[in-house]
């Protein structure tokens, strides 16, 4: 084990990291591993909407995002996080050529995830310069109040999050 690998637990302890993943087993594994190394984990969030609610105005040291959650891509959330200067890692099965061209420069770990590599990437999180949001044809994520009934994806996200909190 290198000196850097030995120092990784110390360098990730206390970081606040958002985990956005719709695979319950993988989300639980990632969150539990990071928590065991002292990371303050927000999530897991299985939908973009739920991730937006969790984040709110919190200060984040970084975010780990799957690209597709229940058929919805996370690029809208990526724009919001990048505008805030939050470092991002994609944790995905997508190859670079399947990632939207605007986001191919984002650090990517391919599934199945190597948790040691993930911890090293989290240790390397440094605040980024806030960027202008990418112009999107989709509306920004906003809370559901006044937007009608909760969708199936939102119900699933709420239930999954509750189950994860109960089992943590």
């Amino acid at each position: 084990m290198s000196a850097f690998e030995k120092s990784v637990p110390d360098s990730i302890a206390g970081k606040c990291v958002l985990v956005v993943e719709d695979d319950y087993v993988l989300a639980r594994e990632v969150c539990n591993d990071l928590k065991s190394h002292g990371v303050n984990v927000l999530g897991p969030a299985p939908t973009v909407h739920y991730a937006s609610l969790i984040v709110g105005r919190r200060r984040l040291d970084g975010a780990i995002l799957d690209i597709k959650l229940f058929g919805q891509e996370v690029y809208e959330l990526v724009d919001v996080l990048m505008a805030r200067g939050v470092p991002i890692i994609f944790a995905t099965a997508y190859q670079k050529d399947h990632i939207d061209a605007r986001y191919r420069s984002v650090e990517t770990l391919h599934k199945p995830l190597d948790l040691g590599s993930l911890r090293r990437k989290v240790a390397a999180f440094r605040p980024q310069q806030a960027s202008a949001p990418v112009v999107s044809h989709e509306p920004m994520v906003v809370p559901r109040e006044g937007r009608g009934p909760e969708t199936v994806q939102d119900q699933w996200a709420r239930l999954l999050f509750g189950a994860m909190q109960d089992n943590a």
Side-chain angles (χ1 to χ4, degrees):
M1 183 180 291
S2 72
F4 177 75
E5 289 174 319
K6 290 178 186 174
S7 70
V8 166
D10 294 335
S11 61
I12 68 173
K15 289 192 184 242
C16 184
V17 176
L18 172 66
V19 175
V20 180
E21 172 62 59
D22 61 351
D23 178 316
Y24 175 80
V25 174
L26 179 58
R28 182 179 172 144
E29 181 179 14
V30 168
C31 289
N32 287 342
D33 182 74
L34 292 174
K35 286 177 184 177
S36 74
H37 287 88
V39 175
N40 177 22
V41 176
L42 297 181
T47 67
V48 171
H49 172 73
Y50 204 75
S52 297
L53 293 176
I54 290 172
V55 170
R57 296 190 184 276
R58 290 182 174 99
R59 181 197 61 81
L60 294 175
D61 293 303
I64 302 164
L65 310 171
D66 188 4
I67 291 177
K68 192 169 259 191
L69 307 166
F70 297 109
Q72 180 185 15
E73 293 179 330
V74 297
Y75 300 131
E76 182 178 330
L77 178 61
V78 172
D79 290 341
V80 171
L81 294 173
M82 289 174 97
R84 291 176 56 179
V86 176
I88 297 165
I89 297 171
F90 285 141
T92 185
Y94 282 15
Q95 296 303 315
K96 282 282 188 190
D97 59 335
H98 287 96
I99 297 173
D100 186 302
R102 298 172 295 174
Y103 305 98
R104 288 188 186 151
S105 64
V106 172
E107 188 80 38
T108 303
L109 285 174
H110 295 283
K111 294 178 182 178
L113 294 179
D114 172 358
L115 295 176
S117 294
L118 181 63
R119 285 191 301 274
R120 285 188 292 281
K121 302 267 186 217
V122 169
F125 279 156
R126 299 291 178 268
Q128 307 291 309
Q129 182 174 357
S131 66
V134 175
V135 177
S136 174
H137 298 286
E138 297 180 30
M140 294 300 289
V141 177
V142 295
R144 290 205 66 76
E145 290 86 20
R147 289 182 48 203
E150 189 175 47
T151 67
V152 171
Q153 287 87 1
D154 290 331
Q155 291 171 357
W156 170 245
R158 186 174 38 77
L159 292 171
L160 179 61
F161 182 74
M164 291 291 296
Q165 297 298 25
D166 293 341
N167 292 325

